[in-house]
Amino acid sequence: MTKSEPQKTSIETLLHENRKFKPQKKLFNNYFLKDMSQYFKLYKKSINDPLKFWEKMALEHLDFFRKWKKVFSWKDFKAEWFSGALINVSYNCLDRHVITDRKNKAALIWEGEPGDIRTITYQQLLLEVANCANMLKGIGLKSGDKAAIYMPLIPEAVVTMLACTRIGVIHTVVFGGFSSSSLRDRIQDSNCKALITADGGFRKGSSVKMKEMADEALKETPTVKAVIVVKRTNEKVNMMPNRDFWWHELSQKYSDHCEPEKLSAEHPLFILYTSGTTGKPKGLLHTTAGYLLGVTLTAKYLFDIKEKDIYWCTADVGWVTGHSYLVYGPLSCGATVFMYEGAPLYPEPDRFWKMIAKHKITILYTAPTAIRSFIRLGKEYPQKHDLSSLRLLGTVGEPINPEAWIWYYEVIGHKKCPIVDTWWQTETGAAMIAPFSGVTPTKPGSATLPMFGIEPLILNKNGSNSKEGGFLCIKKPWPYMARTIYGDHERYKKTYWKEIEGVYFTGDGARRDKDGYFWIMGRVDDVINVSGHRLGTMEIESAAVEHPMVAECAVVGRPDSIKGQGIVAFITLKKSATVNHSLKEEISKFIIKQIGALAKPDEIRFTDALPKTRSGKIMRRLLRELATTGSISGDTTTLEDFSVLEKLRESDEE
Ligand code: 6R9
């Protein structure tokens, strides 16, 4: 597949997919579930009496300091799960393993991009987390305060997250690839009192100057009173006296013992920003017990994490996948987590496969966009390495096109590993629709069936059931869902619970086949999915119009054979603008500076006017068609798949 080849959209191929892969019982027969009849039985039970089910799961999977008084309440779209209970996330991820046989088990095996390796046992991780928690207290943080984490993918990022949870500090992790303006906006929105960062991180052989970016953001974040800096690259950095502290120096001053705070089940755990349909990213707030239950259960049942597994989730901690399946889920299950700092293709395109063979990784969880870029590079890279340790392959972030699914299954999994395609969102906290590994028969491109206790629906805009395909919704609140948008509960209610009255609205389109399998067709709102990362078209548009020459901007996604979707920006210039050959480049850099490299437009088109409806709304459908095919064929879209999605979108445009 090359970029110039016509791209079959995943939706197009998904509609014609009818292969089914039965689990191969002979190879691995000790999965947590016996068979599908057990799944259906348990699922039915969980739906018929969800509170009883969640209560049972919480008792079985988590350690509480005090039991709850009430399992669930729901008032003004504010959910409370397990109220009255006391719990601590770091206790569940560390202490409870340390007091058992897992004390000397590797919790983290980390490889830096230059090839340096660190292995940290559960016992050592607990000491580091306790020491970091004491540092955080030392710089003035206390339960309920917020701290931002802006770091490369190094063990200290995980240590800091867990340290926050130990003392009730709410973390907001900002992806290291985001620009200083994005970091500033997030720190301002969540009123962080401290920032934990690093001098830099290694990426594609060079170092990313993170402290320098942070310094830029910190000029406009008066709430931040202290900054802790990890020395990673030996970058020369400016340290502001009495505000900035080197991690390795500060840590010397504190003990490595810190009692976990007994926090209420609904204590805020973290805020994580994600793009929505407006220019302003939303800070989704997750809380303690319900979230931990969701990630623990799904890590266990969907990824089948067992004592001897070496589990690798390739996501950065800056995304929800990194939160739930690099840190909290697997550590709560007592797994050995592998973590890699750098770029996937560095120094050679076989870096992933080399590490899998070297560390004998057994479970790999990655994104379709990565798989597609590996396909383009060719089979020879994985074939150079012994991948026989792998027993399970997961995917997340966007719909996986069947070709990529089959390649993953055959070339990486040697037809032995179940493919676990997990559908979920920042808002849902953990997986919602996914096969139970080794038990659920899989179909390439379908996330298959719901997790226990989760009741997905496919509805029309008026809330009635849709047979052909429609809006994917969730019938009832569940313990691991986000509780609110930080500082804007009205927006939370409106976006998720009032779009279709009374159910949770996901923003995705989906259909269900005759076996009840769910097929996700992509976003139905103005959110695009670039390399598995959500970006709001409005967010990019707002960044572009800040440029002094730009009058108006409309951004649409178009299919991209590697990234899933690429970004096309239609721009009208101000009359006063002087157009020269570098203006597009300049606007592109301007957008990157404001959001981050992931928002780089694949194409910028200057146009005299933007097509609008009578009410003045930009007709994105036309722009999408123009961006995709290069022309507009009138109202008749030839692809039935597109028309399903477009119909959904159109109803919003009118
Ligand atoms: C976990 C994560 C969420 C959006 C979601 C959907 C898309 C995620 C998917 C998938 C099809 C899958 N998405 N997983 N689409 N199949 N297995 O990615 O969270 O960054 O919030 O994105 O990603 O469109 O609505 P987030």
Side-chain angles (χ1 to χ4, degrees):
M1 261 201 292
T2 64
K3 272 197 167 176
S4 54
E5 274 173 36
Q7 151 83 11
K8 275 191 186 159
T9 65
S10 42
I11 299 156
E12 186 184 345
T13 41
L14 284 182
L15 277 180
H16 306 293
E17 182 55 52
N18 48 26
R19 282 169 285 191
K20 196 166 179 173
F21 291 78
K22 289 215 177 93
Q24 300 178 31
K25 275 293 172 58
K26 269 174 261 142
L27 288 166
F28 305 103
N29 52 9
N30 60 344
Y31 295 108
F32 285 113
L33 289 189
K34 264 201 327 281
D35 52 25
M36 277 314 268
S37 66
Q38 194 189 6
Y39 163 78
F40 286 120
K41 212 170 112 196
L42 283 172
Y43 180 73
K44 204 167 156 199
K45 256 186 158 175
S46 74
I47 297 301
N48 288 346
D49 193 347
L51 301 193
K52 192 169 161 202
F53 167 78
W54 291 120
E55 188 161 34
K56 183 168 183 288
M57 289 297 122
L59 282 173
E60 280 173 17
H61 292 87
L62 302 181
D63 283 18
F64 288 86
F65 300 120
R66 187 176 79 196
K67 217 191 138 190
W68 49 92
K69 291 199 176 77
K70 197 167 180 200
V71 186
F72 173 62
S73 70
W74 180 237
K75 269 184 223 114
D76 189 31
F77 303 91
K78 284 193 177 120
E80 280 194 21
W81 287 91
F82 309 112
S83 33
L86 294 177
I87 187 167
N88 184 284
V89 168
S90 79
Y91 180 89
N92 276 272
C93 290
L94 301 168
D95 307 58
R96 67 164 165 168
H97 305 310
V98 168
I99 54 180
T100 68
D101 296 351
R102 294 191 182 122
K103 183 174 168 187
N104 295 319
K105 176 177 176 172
L108 288 183
I109 300 174
W110 171 84
E111 189 166 319
E113 196 185 72
D116 40 342
I117 292 173
R118 277 167 72 183
T119 301
I120 306 174
T121 64
Y122 270 95
Q123 165 77 11
Q124 289 163 340
L125 189 58
L126 175 58
L127 294 175
E128 291 206 22
V129 166
N131 178 255
C132 178
N134 288 330
M135 283 200 269
L136 298 178
K137 283 199 233 171
I139 59 167
L141 295 177
K142 52 185 189 326
S143 181
D145 286 341
K146 287 129 206 148
I149 300 176
Y150 184 63
M151 273 207 215
L153 204 47
I154 53 176
E156 284 80 359
V158 178
V159 170
T160 311
M161 290 165 79
L162 288 164
C164 286
T165 74
R166 198 155 186 90
I167 56 171
V169 167
I170 306 154
H171 61 67
T172 179
V173 185
V174 179
F175 172 55
F178 275 128
S179 67
S180 48
S181 316
S182 294
L183 174 63
R184 176 202 60 205
D185 293 350
R186 286 157 174 75
I187 293 178
Q188 284 178 350
D189 189 75
S190 52
N191 301 311
C192 292
K193 278 200 177 168
L195 170 70
I196 297 81
T197 185
D199 52 355
F202 292 109
R203 191 90 195 161
K204 294 186 189 161
S206 50
S207 62
V208 183
K209 297 185 186 344
M210 299 192 81
K211 176 63 166 61
E212 204 177 290
M213 297 272 260
D215 283 339
E216 191 61 32
L218 289 165
K219 284 183 189 157
E220 294 171 83
T221 55
T223 52
V224 174
K225 302 289 183 226
V227 180
I228 302 179
V229 187
V230 178
K231 198 182 257 297
R232 167 69 186 135
T233 54
N234 266 322
E235 212 76 44
K236 209 174 147 9
V237 297
N238 291 323
M239 297 290 280
M240 188 191 275
N242 299 325
R243 186 198 69 181
D244 299 355
F245 307 93
W246 284 110
W247 176 298
H248 60 275
E249 289 174 6
L250 196 62
S251 72
Q252 301 294 323
K253 298 194 183 147
Y254 294 97
S255 94
D256 42 26
H257 180 81
C258 171
E259 281 298 311
E261 283 203 26
K262 297 183 168 98
L263 300 166
S264 75
E266 282 297 335
H267 187 83
L269 181 63
F270 64 82
I271 299 169
L272 184 60
Y273 287 83
T274 189
S275 298
T277 48
T278 71
K280 195 170 169 262
K282 309 175 269 198
L284 273 315
L285 180 92
H286 280 279
T287 58
T288 302
Y291 171 82
L292 189 64
L293 179 61
V295 295
T296 309
L297 268 188
T298 50
K300 172 177 162 178
Y301 284 104
L302 304 178
F303 297 131
D304 190 52
I305 296 180
K306 296 277 168 53
E307 215 48 69
K308 293 225 160 70
D309 279 309
I310 306 208
Y311 161 95
W312 182 19
C313 163
T314 66
D316 190 281
V317 284
W319 308 109
V320 74
T321 307
H323 281 60
S324 302
Y325 296 111
L326 179 68
V327 183
Y328 295 119
L331 293 180
S332 172
C333 291
T336 294
V337 173
F338 177 73
M339 201 177 154
Y340 166 59
E341 173 187 32
L345 310 180
Y346 185 83
E348 297 294 331
D350 65 344
R351 180 68 187 258
F352 264 36
W353 321 122
K354 205 172 170 175
M355 292 191 296
I356 288 172
K358 185 183 343 173
H359 299 283
K360 306 233 171 337
I361 286 159
T362 57
I363 302 173
L364 172 67
Y365 187 35
T366 194
T369 183
I371 299 166
R372 287 192 299 264
S373 66
F374 292 131
I375 297 177
R376 188 171 68 165
L377 291 161
K379 285 183 195 161
E380 54 274 26
Y381 291 104
Q383 281 171 350
K384 276 206 289 198
H385 299 278
D386 175 9
L387 305 182
S388 60
S389 57
L390 287 172
R391 69 174 191 91
L392 197 151
L393 301 172
T395 143
V396 63
E398 52 176 313
I400 182 164
N401 46 317
E403 296 148 88
W405 194 102
I406 296 287
W407 190 89
Y408 199 28
Y409 181 70
E410 290 181 356
V411 180
I412 306 306
H414 299 282
K415 300 188 185 173
K416 287 184 330 197
C417 307
I419 304 283
V420 179
D421 178 356
T422 58
W423 175 85
W424 58 294
Q425 311 176 295
T426 305
E427 294 85 341
T428 70
M432 304 285 282
I433 305 178
F436 280 69
S437 53
V439 173
T440 312
T442 47
K443 300 184 188 188
S446 167
T448 75
L449 297 165
M451 177 63 194
F452 298 140
I454 304 296
E455 210 174 340
L457 305 168
I458 294 179
L459 303 177
N460 293 314
K461 193 90 198 179
N462 63 12
S464 61
N465 276 316
S466 162
K467 282 213 177 68
E468 289 161 20
F471 300 105
L472 179 65
C473 299
I474 311 293
K475 193 168 172 184
K476 284 182 186 159
W478 62 101
Y480 47 102
M481 68 184 198
R483 299 294 189 262
T484 191
I485 292 174
Y486 180 71
D488 198 350
H489 195 62
E490 282 308 309
R491 187 174 174 197
Y492 172 80
K493 287 198 271 194
K494 191 168 161 282
T495 315
Y496 303 113
W497 297 96
K498 297 205 158 183
E499 193 69 33
I500 297 180
E501 197 62 40
V503 298
Y504 170 84
F505 180 78
T506 66
D508 280 341
R511 69 184 179 91
R512 204 168 185 184
D513 69 15
K514 58 178 188 345
D515 296 331
Y517 278 43
F518 288 89
W519 297 76
I520 314 297
M521 301 191 303
R523 302 289 306 189
V524 293
D525 53 12
D526 290 329
V527 170
I528 51 180
N529 193 324
V530 181
S531 300
H533 301 317
R534 268 162 75 170
L535 278 167
T537 49
M538 275 277 281
E539 204 178 334
I540 308 170
E541 289 162 7
S542 322
V545 295
E546 294 279 308
H547 188 280
M549 308 255 182
V550 175
E552 260 191 318
C553 173
V555 167
V556 293
R558 73 158 170 229
D560 181 287
S561 60
I562 302 293
K563 300 194 290 185
Q565 281 189 296
I567 302 168
V568 182
F570 290 86
I571 284 176
T572 61
L573 294 169
K574 287 195 181 144
K575 283 219 176 68
S576 56
T578 39
V579 186
N580 59 39
H581 67 280
S582 60
L583 185 57
K584 286 186 181 172
E585 186 64 29
E586 197 188 290
I587 296 174
S588 177
K589 284 200 181 130
F590 188 82
I591 295 173
I592 294 171
K593 177 129 200 321
Q594 296 201 62
I595 304 176
L598 68 165
K600 182 179 190 295
D602 293 85
E603 194 185 343
I604 291 183
R605 293 195 186 190
F606 290 144
T607 165
D608 290 337
L610 294 172
K612 295 198 181 145
T613 60
R614 258 181 286 174
S615 61
K617 273 197 161 188
I618 294 168
M619 295 171 78
R620 291 171 188 281
R621 185 180 63 81
L622 294 185
L623 292 177
R624 267 193 291 269
E625 197 179 339
L626 198 61
T628 308
T629 63
S631 63
I632 295 172
S633 58
D635 263 317
T636 48
T637 30
T638 45
L639 302 172
E640 57 172 325
D641 51 321
F642 258 100
S643 61
V644 178
L645 209 58
E646 288 299 346
K647 258 186 230 151
L648 299 173
R649 287 172 172 148
E650 260 173 16
S651 59
D652 269 357
E653 265 169 32
E654 271 146 21

